[in-house]
């Protein structure tokens, strides 16, 4: 009978955040698949646990994934951990989960700390609907294409970013979207934890003067909703008045502006409809 793969959330900074269930799971499994065994051994030493480990990270995930699957199919149990946070979230662990699902291996999640969830809660921005975008590409062109595709995204957006790329990423965001509110959460749960709430332009100025340090989570407000479509009856009445004004000698441009002020209907909509009437 196949064993079980356990996805174990580990602390993102403060070791006190590890749950008792997570600690018990790490102690009970046959082996641990870790992003970096040198990081995970510190956590195990803190817990007083000695356990066999194998590395599983982006560059060995295909070869090592097959090895881990083979051991699971033979009946062993495995805990998958990252250096910090939830495995399989912006992490190659998602491929191991998919591999196990395809071969009938049970997967159990042991929830734990997550940097993007913590940052969203701290941001003060709308949290009812959001999109997690993870890390942006290191390629300038790919990064800008990604950001441009999100120009009309109305949900709150969340990104991970390294300090040496932060200022350029903020600059690209400002260029793609214009100035927006952003919460910059740094070193979450650690000694120098900090959350800065400001605009993109203010953030650029701040970190140009003081080079950023630590890993960042960026939480950014979404795009404003598009203007509501005018009610058909209101639009019809506005167009009648538009025709009356232009017939009396008022230019279409001026008539559209005047009626837009009176009704709240977008001036460009009225102008376009006026051109159709002509």
């Amino acid at each position: 009978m196949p064993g079980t793969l356990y996805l174990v959330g580990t602390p993102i900074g403060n070791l006190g955040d590890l749950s008792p269930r997570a600690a018990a799971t790490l102690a009970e499994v046959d082996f641990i698949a870790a992003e970096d065994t040198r990081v995970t051994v510190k956590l195990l030493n803190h817990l007083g646990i000695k356990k066999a480990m194998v590395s599983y990270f982006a560059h060995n995930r295909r070869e090592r994934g097959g090895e881990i699957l083979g051991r699971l199919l033979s009946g062993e149990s495995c805990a998958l951990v990252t250096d910090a946070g939830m495995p399989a979230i912006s992490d190659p662990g998602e491929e191991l989960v998919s591999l196990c699902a395809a071969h009938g291996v049970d997967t159990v999640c042991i929830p734990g700390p997550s940097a993007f969830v913590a940052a969203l809660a701290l941001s003060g921005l709308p949290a009812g609907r959001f999109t997690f975008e993870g890390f942006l590409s290191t390629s300038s062109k790919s990064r800008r294409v990604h950001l441009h595709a999100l120009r009309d995204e109305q949900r709150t957006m969340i990104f991970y970013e390294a300090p040496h790329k932060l200022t350029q990423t903020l600059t690209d965001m400002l260029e793609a979207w214009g100035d927006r509110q952003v919460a910059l959460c740094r070193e979450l749960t650690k000694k120098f934890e900090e959350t800065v709430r400001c605009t993109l332009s203010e953030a650029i100025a701040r970190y140009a003067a003081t080079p950023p340090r630590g890993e960042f989570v960026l939480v950014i407000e979404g795009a404003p909703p598009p203007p509501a479509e005018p009610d058909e009856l209101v639009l019809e009445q506005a167009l009648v008045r538009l025709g009356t004004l232009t017939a009396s000698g008022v230019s279409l441009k001026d008539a559209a502006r005047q009626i837009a002020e009176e009704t709240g209907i977008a001036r460009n909509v009225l102008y376009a409809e006026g051109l159709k009437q002509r």
Side-chain angles (χ1 to χ4, degrees), residues 4-85:
T4 301
L5 176 68
Y6 294 91
L7 309 178
V8 181
T10 55
I12 57 177
N14 191 321
L15 293 180
D17 292 337
L18 187 77
S19 74
R21 185 184 176 205
T25 301
L26 293 174
E28 292 167 3
V29 294
D30 294 306
F31 69 102
I32 296 171
E35 179 181 2
D36 187 333
T37 56
R38 296 167 299 181
V39 173
T40 300
V41 75
K42 295 177 183 178
L43 175 62
L44 297 181
N45 289 339
H46 173 75
L47 298 170
I49 296 172
K50 291 186 177 181
K51 188 67 57 173
M53 286 192 288
V54 297
S55 64
Y56 177 85
F57 54 93
H59 297 298
N60 75 351
R61 66 188 187 278
R62 290 188 173 85
E63 176 187 354
R64 191 54 54 81
E67 295 175 12
I68 294 170
L69 176 65
R71 294 179 67 172
L72 288 164
L73 289 172
S74 71
E76 291 187 78
S77 58
C78 171
L80 176 65
V81 299
T82 66
D83 291 347

Side-chain angles (χ1 to χ4, degrees), residues 42-192:
K42 295 177 183 178
L43 175 62
L44 297 181
N45 289 339
H46 173 75
L47 298 170
I49 296 172
K50 291 186 177 181
K51 188 67 57 173
M53 286 192 288
V54 297
S55 64
Y56 177 85
F57 54 93
H59 297 298
N60 75 351
R61 66 188 187 278
R62 290 188 173 85
E63 176 187 354
R64 191 54 54 81
E67 295 175 12
I68 294 170
L69 176 65
R71 294 179 67 172
L72 288 164
L73 289 172
S74 71
E76 291 187 78
S77 58
C78 171
L80 176 65
V81 299
T82 66
D83 291 347
M86 279 301 304
I89 303 298
S90 197
D91 171 77
E94 66 179 304
E95 293 189 19
L96 183 58
V97 174
S98 179
L99 192 62
C100 287
H103 288 81
V105 175
D106 287 341
T107 302
V108 175
C109 183
I110 313 297
S114 176
F116 84 81
V117 173
L120 178 63
L122 287 167
S123 71
L125 292 169
R129 297 178 69 239
F130 62 90
T131 174
F132 172 61
E133 297 293 323
F135 288 99
L136 289 163
S137 173
T138 55
S139 161
S140 295
K141 181 178 179 180
S142 296
R143 183 171 61 249
R144 288 168 182 162
V145 168
H146 186 162
L147 295 175
H148 181 77
L150 293 169
R151 182 178 56 187
D152 298 321
E153 174 59 65
Q154 294 179 41
R155 294 171 294 180
T156 298
M157 297 177 288
I158 309 172
F159 299 83
Y160 287 158
E161 193 52 278
H164 66 280
K165 290 168 50 191
L166 180 67
T167 302
Q168 185 59 58
T169 293
L170 292 170
T171 301
D172 288 344
M173 288 175 170
L174 179 62
E175 182 180 318
W177 307 328
D179 220 2
R180 293 190 186 178
Q181 292 294 316
V182 57
L184 303 101
C185 301
R186 181 176 73 91
E187 295 291 274
L188 288 169
T189 78
K190 300 176 185 177
K191 181 178 180 180
F192 297 107

